[in-house]
Amino acid sequence: MPVRGRNQSAQALQVHGRLFLIDCGEGVQYSMVEHRIPMMKLDSLFISHIHGDHVFGFFGLLSTLGMKGRQTPLNIFAPPAFGPMLKFFLSYYGDGVGFEIRFTPLKMKEPETVLETRSIRVQAFPLNHGIETFGFRFEEKEPPFNVHKEAIGQFGLTLTEIGTLKRGEDVHRADGSVIPASEAAYKPFVPRSYAYCSDTAPFPEEALWLKGTTVLYHETTYLQELQEQGALRHHSTTLQAATVARDAGVQKLLIGHYSSRNAEMADYQAECRTLFPETYATSDGESYDI
């Protein structure tokens, strides 16, 4: 339900120059303008499920992209039930959309890769929400090795040898000497990952599928005292989300999708931190580095 100071579900995620939008609640284009998120650079839209608070914003967003003259194709990953909604939109407003929309219906029963580039991989997986709902996990691929600049002069490396070291392989020279990759090269970063789980009640495979995720966003619609109501409506409580984060071994838990009956986000954070101290209650407009 509408609450002052809280918009509907939508997150912008930037990874290696690509901009992804996860869910598209009412008013999302206004929020993107307010927070200076360049909607024309949007690469892909991921829809978890077709409840209104997660999709009502796509009409305005797609219309505005068309009015701005977008030419680049837009990927949309969503449950099959989103297809008729998209068809309805295009039947009435499609003349103003001058770009290709590539809709991929999600049908998996366990995690599957739905998008892959040279640097990232995106997986979708089913959640437990009463209607067909999916979570998403974005992960960096292992980066190639970089060669220490000083090693190039120290060992007199050739271009071929530099290429060998960038693959993480030792250089073996004709004179029998070896240049270990462990000495001459290094990994520029440890791959990071981000997962989005909203809306869902907990389920047995969840922590396993999220194992080792760097940052997890998980809905906490209810405080723990409303656990029974959460089960009826297929939502999670604070302690249920914290348990998933703990069991999955994530580094940081972001929480949101709060019930309209509770205005104090600090209550949600405090309950989660009793099980998982690295919990942060999110607010509109905040940004986090992963």
Side-chain angles (χ1 to χ4, degrees):
M1 297 290 288
V3 175
R4 185 184 300 274
R6 292 185 198 166
N7 286 317
Q8 302 295 295
S9 295
Q11 294 188 4
L13 178 68
Q14 285 190 313
V15 188
H16 293 281
R18 289 178 177 263
L19 176 64
F20 303 119
L21 187 65
I22 313 170
D23 277 339
C24 197
E26 183 179 352
V28 67
Q29 63 173 329
Y30 293 99
S31 292
M32 294 180 81
V33 171
E34 180 182 359
H35 299 298
R36 301 183 184 276
I37 297 169
M39 66 176 71
M40 290 294 280
K41 293 185 178 181
L42 182 60
D43 179 287
S44 301
L45 170 60
F46 296 85
I47 300 291
S48 62
H49 62 299
I50 63 165
H51 281 162
D53 57 323
H54 294 255
V55 297
F56 283 166
F58 92 89
F59 273 67
L61 177 63
L62 296 189
S63 296
T64 298
L65 291 177
M67 292 176 66
K68 284 177 171 286
R70 181 186 176 105
Q71 300 287 314
T72 308
L74 177 68
N75 302 307
I76 300 181
F77 301 89
F82 182 77
M85 299 174 67
L86 180 60
K87 183 177 180 180
F88 175 85
F89 166 79
L90 292 174
S91 69
Y92 281 90
Y93 308 105
D95 290 345
V97 178
F99 57 92
E100 180 185 0
I101 295 176
R102 299 172 178 171
F103 171 51
T104 300
L106 304 175
K107 302 176 182 178
M108 63 285 300
K109 299 298 183 184
E110 58 185 23
E112 284 186 16
T113 298
V114 295
L115 180 65
E116 191 165 5
T117 72
R118 288 189 304 174
S119 58
I120 64 170
R121 180 182 298 107
V122 185
Q123 286 188 324
F125 50 91
L127 297 176
N128 176 21
H129 189 47
I131 69 167
E132 205 163 24
T133 305
F134 296 90
F136 304 100
R137 187 175 186 272
F138 303 77
E139 61 179 357
E140 290 177 310
K141 293 182 177 179
E142 283 284 344
F145 283 81
N146 284 348
V147 176
H148 291 289
K149 290 183 178 180
E150 58 272 19
I152 297 175
Q154 177 185 350
F155 297 108
L157 296 172
T158 66
L159 290 177
T160 299
E161 290 173 337
I162 290 174
T164 299
L165 291 169
K166 283 190 172 184
R167 294 193 300 271
E169 302 170 3
D170 297 341
V171 170
H172 296 268
R173 288 179 161 170
D175 63 2
S177 62
V178 177
I179 304 172
S182 59
E183 293 183 13
Y186 64 97
K187 280 291 181 75
F189 60 84
V190 176
R192 294 152 290 186
S193 56
Y194 176 73
Y196 177 93
C197 293
S198 185
D199 299 357
T200 187
F203 56 97
E205 301 87 356
E206 189 176 14
L208 177 64
W209 290 349
L210 297 170
K211 205 73 175 177
T213 298
T214 309
V215 175
L216 167 64
Y217 171 84
H218 200 289
E219 68 123 301
T220 51
T221 302
Y222 296 109
L223 296 171
Q224 190 60 26
E225 65 183 7
L226 294 176
Q227 180 177 355
E228 290 186 6
Q229 187 165 346
L232 287 173
R233 297 190 176 186
H234 298 277
H235 281 293
S236 292
T237 67
T238 49
L239 296 190
Q240 288 170 338
T243 298
V244 171
R246 181 195 64 193
D247 293 349
V250 308
Q251 294 182 21
K252 182 182 292 185
L253 172 63
L254 306 181
I255 58 172
H257 202 274
Y258 316 109
S259 170
S260 58
R261 72 179 64 203
N262 194 324
E264 297 299 326
M265 293 178 292
D267 294 344
Y268 291 87
Q269 179 173 284
E271 280 199 354
C272 285
R273 286 187 173 183
T274 62
L275 276 182
F276 194 81
E278 282 296 305
T279 300
Y280 300 87
T282 61
S283 300
D284 289 355
E286 291 179 338
S287 62
Y288 294 84
D289 290 326
I290 300 175

